[in-house]
Amino acid sequence: MDFSVVVPTYNRRRDLLRTLAAYERQEPADLEFEVVAVDDGSGDGTAAALADLRPRRFSLRFETQDNAGPAKARNRALEMARGDLVLFTGDDIEPAPDLLRRHLETHRSHGDPALAVLGLTTWPEDGPLTATMRHIDGPGAQQFSYHYFEDGAEYDFRHLYTSNVSLTRRFLELEAGPFATVFPAAAFEDAEVGHRLAYHGLRILYRRDATAFHHHPYDAAGFYRRQERCGRMAALLFQRNPELKKWLAVREVEWRRLALLGMDPQDVPPLQRLADQLDSWIRRAIRLATFYDPIDPPGIDGFLSPLFRLGYLDGLCAALLPEPAARRVLASFFAESMPDAARSLEHHIAAAGVPGPVADLAALTSVPPFPGIPPGP
């Protein structure tokens, strides 16, 4: 069998059925593959829907496990897989009709068992596109970095995106598991296994025409929550791999905490006041970004980028630092970036004549900076 398509799924029955229907349209007809789905304890009837399916184009095998996260679900699917190649994808990822053929052609032309073929995961052309969605897969690159990739180039372990990536099964078997089940959520568990596979010679080759479509609309509020989760999962990755601390911004957080200990005493009270009210200030920033999501005005990228970075740092600080240090550190990052971002956005929307929530903008631009915080090493 050419391919095993591995799909962990959780409470996305409708998305999963659309995805599986798309695999019925894979070409050419002589390409043999199976879909191995593991239901991660869904409560929406996913298991019953899978049991009722009778696909014609591929063989379908599935199991249900107690909710434990996508890492454990993928490991169970790998134990069941029979294909020479494994494609990791998601329950909300719709494949183009030639997706598997593109992956297979690339593996055969290179003949390297350590090669991972990374395909493009993009938004569906007929779906909604908010400013957040355009940004996170565009210049912000907080979800995927395709915006900066070159077709046919190779990239490091950080880009083992399990939305659309294929590897040889025998290479995956070099690492028992291989996904670390300490990760309860879908964030960094794929980069972690990529980091371990890199020691075995992992190469990740990007092939842009191996395309799949991501049916997961985001607004600013939803993606901020996603970034918080990523920050918490990054802390788990750091605990397993301390050498990645600079890449994960752990060193930046540690340095900022030390810098705040040496602050001028007169700057401490206003920083503490901001820390005490930080949830309210973050809600203002998210509300502002959410208002502009459907409008996508000029200058919004300069606001979304620090906002989503703040979300990541929110989760990371909460996981690494005790209170109240975590909130003080996060408040200092907020004061360093968000007021300037709000002022820049205010300038752009005024020049473009775009209306907006003036009160939230005025409030954010009024937050004072805190002097005496040196940059990190």
Side-chain angles (χ1 to χ4, degrees), residues 31-371:
L31 191 156
E32 296 184 2
F33 69 99
E34 65 178 0
V35 174
V36 185
V38 174
D39 173 22
D40 190 27
S42 299
D44 64 348
T46 291
L50 287 170
D52 288 341
L53 282 181
R54 299 292 183 270
R56 299 181 302 275
R57 176 67 185 84
F58 57 89
S59 61
L60 172 66
R61 290 187 298 141
F62 69 93
E63 284 192 2
T64 297
Q65 66 180 27
D66 293 335
N67 182 247
K72 186 173 181 179
R74 289 195 198 101
N75 285 346
R76 179 61 192 126
L78 283 173
E79 293 173 359
M80 300 162 61
R82 299 174 297 184
D84 297 325
L85 295 168
V86 175
L87 175 77
F88 291 109
T89 188
D91 51 13
D92 57 359
I93 306 294
E94 178 187 357
D98 60 351
L99 176 70
L100 294 181
R101 177 173 67 83
R102 301 289 186 181
H103 278 273
L104 184 60
E105 287 173 349
T106 310
H107 280 285
R108 286 179 173 173
S109 64
H110 284 76
D112 181 357
L115 182 75
V117 178
L118 175 66
L120 172 65
T121 305
T122 188
W123 305 114
E125 294 179 357
D126 59 349
L129 186 67
T130 63
T132 290
M133 294 166 69
R134 178 193 57 76
H135 174 81
I136 62 178
D137 281 1
Q142 292 95 350
Q143 178 167 248
F144 299 123
S145 297
Y146 295 114
H147 182 76
Y148 300 101
F149 286 177
E150 294 183 12
D151 190 29
E154 293 189 17
Y155 295 93
D156 65 39
F157 71 92
R158 293 174 294 173
H159 306 292
L160 191 77
Y161 303 149
T162 47
S163 60
N164 182 3
V165 70
S166 61
L167 303 94
T168 63
R169 186 155 54 94
R170 60 174 170 154
F171 184 64
L172 284 164
E173 289 170 351
L174 293 175
E175 285 288 337
F179 290 88
T181 56
V182 296
F183 293 90
F188 288 108
E189 84 289 356
D190 44 10
E192 194 276 339
V193 73
H195 183 249
R196 283 186 283 121
L197 288 173
Y199 288 98
H200 299 290
L202 172 69
R203 299 166 53 210
I204 301 177
L205 177 73
Y206 174 49
R207 181 159 183 182
R208 193 182 191 285
D209 59 5
T211 306
F213 303 97
H214 192 189
H215 292 269
H216 193 136
Y218 273 116
D219 62 10
F223 197 73
Y224 188 94
R225 291 192 297 271
R226 182 263 192 190
Q227 288 295 89
E228 285 184 284
R229 183 174 69 249
C230 285
R232 294 193 299 272
M233 297 302 101
L236 293 176
L237 179 56
F238 163 65
Q239 291 166 6
R240 291 177 65 88
N241 302 99
E243 69 274 17
L244 299 178
K245 68 187 304 182
K246 181 177 180 180
W247 172 60
L248 295 170
V250 172
R251 194 165 80 172
E252 187 176 357
V253 167
E254 291 175 342
W255 177 260
R256 180 59 59 97
R257 184 187 185 190
L258 290 173
L260 293 184
L261 293 175
M263 282 181 66
D264 189 312
Q266 69 179 2
D267 293 325
V268 173
L271 178 61
Q272 186 58 55
R273 283 195 296 272
L274 179 61
D276 292 341
Q277 301 169 8
L278 189 58
D279 288 341
S280 174
W281 285 107
I282 291 174
R283 283 196 298 271
R284 282 182 181 269
I286 292 173
R287 190 163 59 229
L288 189 65
T290 303
F291 176 88
Y292 284 118
D293 254 332
I295 302 172
D296 200 0
I300 192 64
D301 287 311
F303 188 80
L304 294 177
S305 187
L307 176 64
F308 295 146
R309 180 174 181 270
L310 189 76
Y312 172 81
L313 292 170
D314 195 341
L316 186 65
C317 289
L320 292 178
L321 303 178
E323 292 291 355
R327 299 310 278 175
R328 284 189 180 182
V329 168
L330 190 65
S332 74
F333 283 121
F334 181 96
E336 183 178 71
S337 61
M338 292 313 302
D340 282 345
R343 281 187 281 271
S344 176
L345 178 60
E346 186 177 42
H347 170 77
H348 280 92
I349 62 174
V354 178
V358 177
D360 283 334
L361 263 175
L364 288 167
T365 57
S366 71
V367 176
F370 294 100

